[in-house]
Amino acid sequence: MDAASARLSRPLTYHVTTFGCQMNANDSEKLSGILEVMGYEYTETEDADFVIYNTCTVRENADLKVYGRLGRLNGYKKKNPGMVIGLCGCMMQQPEVVEKIKKNYPFVDLVFGTHNISDFAALTEKALDDNVMTVSLLDGDNSGLIEDLPRKRKFVFKSGVNIMYGCNNFCTYCIVPYVRGREYSRTPGDIIEEIKRLSDDGVKEIMLLGQNVNSYGKTLDEPVSFASLLRRAEEIDGIERIRFMTSHPKDLSDELIETMASSEKICDHLHLPLQSGSTEILRKMNRRYTKESYLELAGKIREAMPDISLTTDIIVGFPGETEEDFAETLDVVDRVGFDSAFTFLYSKRTGTPAATMEKQVSEDVMHERFDRLLELVHERATERSGRLTGRTMKVLVEETNREPGLVTGRLSNNFTVHLEGDESLIGQIVDVELTECRGFYYFGKLK
Ligand code: 5AD
Ligand code: SF4
């Protein structure tokens, strides 16, 4: 590597492109950290000496995006033959994807999965030495994951923290349990140590990450609840905000609601994927809750925390979804009034039970329902969006705005706020009067 850098008489550069969820964003920070230890310097563009795509495969579109962009990388590689192209993440955990890459994208140098990020440096050495594609994939055992990897955080003041890996829920549409493996919780001791180190390093906000954080700790030798982990994290000096993602409605406990409601540090935001409002479709999805129990849960949460922001994920067009089923979804959206919702067209994932279910919904029907859902989500979210206008609330300032003289930050409930200010505010938690709500963000004045 040093030789290559000397030959080019410049430092070697890298770029990591992340597709998909917060878990991947967190893994990408580890990949970047390892690359920096190896001597690569970060560059904004993919026209770099080392490019990694950290891929997602939750919907077919995510796969297609990666294949589409690989062509462009090959263009860069033709100009810079020493360039290294690496692919990792969920998409690579599927043998048929790896076969396709080998056959159609031979210019890729390195392929690895979600379980061997800790081998990344060694795999890179091998890829640099060999002239053939280096492929290294491990099956889904999450218990041996190495935790202490170098890390380059995108923000100095906030960070993700993995509390668990994998998923055991097997929702019938979802590929995640197949590619990410079985659920495995880190010990509270390891997690708390990591958060303390982050706090010493200037982090004020943490995001605890897992596919289903509400089942955290159930399989540990000494089982602990997610709420008790939150209470321990709260005690750490310097940590001022705690977020988490994602919650599964079937496992959300009263203990968690009480812990959130009585906490100063746990943020006023719950992402609670609904997926469908029809009890029959939920059964076919293997979600293990009903329309009624979801509504009851949402009501309980709102009662305990009136300011809370509730957001959700909804899938339209799951196999067998009738107009009546879809009307149930609209009904839940109308009754809960989400602050925002990620809406998805059902995407068939080979190997999942739903892929072979009867009565797949046609594209036309799916799109038509999707548009109606989006309209209602938008209408209900707009009605709720201005509810904090006039109040003074705490904002963690995150970055300067494209508009000169403005900075942008977030409220505890995850809403975006723009205010007058300069770079010196970045990373600070400040009191801001919310003067105006435009669409889905506020303008405010520093108090
Ligand atoms: N098709 C469409 N959306 C899906 N999701 C997961 N699998 C699929 C699929 N096969 C959505 C779910 C999940 C979010 C991360 O992605 O709504 O909560
Ligand atoms: Fe997929 Fe369901 Fe696990 Fe979420 S809980 S990752 S939707 S299987």
Side-chain angles (χ1 to χ4, degrees):
M1 224 206 89
D2 289 346
S5 174
R7 198 169 56 242
L8 293 166
S9 12
R10 62 167 173 79
L12 293 176
T13 56
Y14 79 90
H15 188 90
V16 180
T17 301
T18 309
F19 298 85
C21 67
Q22 291 281 344
M23 288 272 195
N24 268 13
N26 209 44
D27 286 346
S28 289
E29 293 193 349
K30 295 175 189 163
L31 294 168
S32 301
I34 297 170
L35 281 163
E36 297 210 349
V37 170
M38 288 164 71
Y40 286 90
E41 279 185 11
Y42 174 74
T43 177
E44 288 281 332
T45 89
E46 290 185 353
D47 190 358
D49 297 303
F50 202 138
V51 173
I52 299 199
Y53 280 178
N54 189 5
T55 62
C56 168
T57 193
V58 77
R59 284 169 292 277
E60 193 187 8
N61 264 346
D63 288 12
L64 298 178
K65 230 189 264 174
V66 168
Y67 291 130
R69 284 173 62 162
L70 276 174
R72 192 164 68 198
L73 285 192
N74 195 24
Y76 293 140
K77 187 159 178 164
K78 283 188 178 139
K79 280 192 311 168
N80 175 10
M83 177 180 182
V84 182
I85 298 176
L87 300 175
C88 67
C90 293
M91 196 177 151
M92 300 305 130
Q93 291 290 129
Q94 300 163 96
E96 61 281 10
V97 169
V98 177
E99 281 317 305
K100 184 166 171 173
I101 304 269
K102 282 187 188 159
K103 192 157 151 254
N104 299 344
Y105 304 89
F107 54 88
V108 171
D109 301 277
L110 173 61
V111 174
F112 58 104
T114 46
H115 297 85
N116 44 355
I117 290 181
S118 52
D119 298 335
F120 173 48
L123 290 171
T124 297
E125 292 296 335
K126 187 163 172 344
L128 288 169
D129 287 344
D130 293 355
N131 268 332
V132 290
M133 193 186 291
T134 301
V135 177
S136 174
L137 296 160
L138 300 175
D139 277 345
D141 180 11
N142 284 313
S143 60
L145 289 184
I146 294 182
E147 319 229 298
D148 265 336
L149 294 174
R151 166 111 176 236
K152 183 181 179 239
R153 293 200 315 272
K154 190 168 167 210
F155 297 96
V156 278
F157 52 86
K158 68 173 184 178
S159 177
V161 176
N162 284 114
I163 62 166
M164 57 206 298
Y165 302 96
C167 181
N168 285 352
N169 287 314
F170 290 95
C171 301
T172 54
Y173 50 81
C174 185
I175 194 116
V176 169
Y178 304 91
V179 295
R180 286 259 174 192
R182 292 296 60 72
E183 185 177 300
Y184 170 77
S185 296
R186 294 176 65 194
T187 65
D190 284 346
I191 296 167
I192 295 300
E193 268 316 301
E194 179 176 343
I195 301 173
K196 279 186 181 154
R197 279 200 304 273
L198 289 167
S199 165
D200 290 343
D201 216 22
V203 167
K204 290 182 179 163
E205 178 178 302
I206 50 166
M207 165 81 93
L208 305 180
L209 296 169
Q211 302 295 348
N212 175 12
V213 293
N214 302 111
S215 72
Y216 169 78
K218 288 186 180 162
T219 54
L220 284 169
D221 291 341
E222 290 170 44
V224 290
S225 67
F226 178 55
S228 71
L229 178 72
L230 284 171
R231 289 194 294 270
R232 283 186 63 181
E234 267 197 294
E235 285 167 15
I236 300 173
D237 285 340
I239 297 297
E240 297 187 45
R241 282 185 169 183
I242 304 173
R243 301 187 183 277
F244 53 86
M245 189 119 179
T246 284
S247 292
H248 193 308
K250 79 177 166 63
D251 294 315
L252 201 146
S253 65
D254 288 348
E255 185 197 10
L256 177 65
I257 298 175
E258 283 155 27
T259 303
M260 288 181 79
S262 62
S263 166
E264 289 286 312
K265 293 187 178 180
I266 303 171
C267 288
D268 243 353
H269 176 207
L270 250 181
H271 185 69
L272 197 60
L274 167 68
Q275 312 300 6
S276 169
S278 151
T279 296
E280 180 54 18
I281 294 294
L282 289 168
R283 192 185 59 75
K284 289 186 181 153
M285 288 177 161
N286 191 30
R287 291 290 289 175
R288 288 173 273 175
Y289 53 86
T290 61
K291 176 185 183 188
E292 289 69 32
S293 66
Y294 187 97
L295 284 170
E296 193 187 319
L297 181 61
K300 213 157 42 171
I301 294 166
R302 279 257 167 76
E303 197 176 317
M305 295 166 276
D307 277 345
I308 201 161
S309 157
L310 268 184
T311 59
T312 199
D313 293 342
I314 301 169
I315 298 175
V316 175
F318 183 83
E321 184 189 74
T322 62
E323 182 55 33
E324 289 72 37
D325 291 318
F326 178 64
E328 303 273 18
T329 299
L330 293 177
D331 187 43
V332 176
V333 169
D334 197 35
R335 283 158 74 171
V336 173
F338 294 104
D339 292 273
S340 72
F342 294 103
T343 49
F344 304 108
L345 293 167
Y346 167 70
S347 170
K348 199 193 254 193
R349 306 314 284 136
T350 309
T352 62
T356 50
M357 282 182 187
E358 285 176 7
K359 300 199 210 125
Q360 300 277 331
V361 177
S362 75
E363 290 279 319
D364 285 355
V365 170
M366 239 194 293
H367 280 99
E368 186 268 335
R369 287 181 189 161
F370 185 86
D371 291 347
R372 276 194 283 156
L373 173 65
L374 207 61
E375 199 176 315
L376 182 64
V377 164
H378 192 264
E379 191 184 304
R380 296 294 282 115
T382 309
E383 281 163 25
R384 291 183 57 76
S385 67
R387 69 186 189 279
L388 302 173
T389 307
R391 302 225 338 232
T392 295
M393 302 189 93
K394 295 213 179 295
V395 172
L396 171 56
V397 180
E398 298 196 335
E399 56 200 356
T400 51
N401 195 291
R402 256 177 274 144
E403 195 80 16
L406 289 185
V407 291
T408 301
R410 274 172 201 281
L411 295 173
S412 162
N413 73 4
N414 217 27
F415 264 75
T416 300
V417 182
H418 305 299
L419 60 142
E420 275 180 26
D422 61 28
E423 267 173 12
S424 65
L425 289 178
I426 293 176
Q428 287 195 47
I429 295 179
V430 290
D431 285 319
V432 174
E433 183 188 344
L434 306 173
T435 49
E436 190 192 342
C437 179
R438 277 195 215 156
F440 294 100
Y441 50 86
Y442 285 94
F443 278 92
K445 247 199 308 224
L446 198 61
K447 286 304 262 188

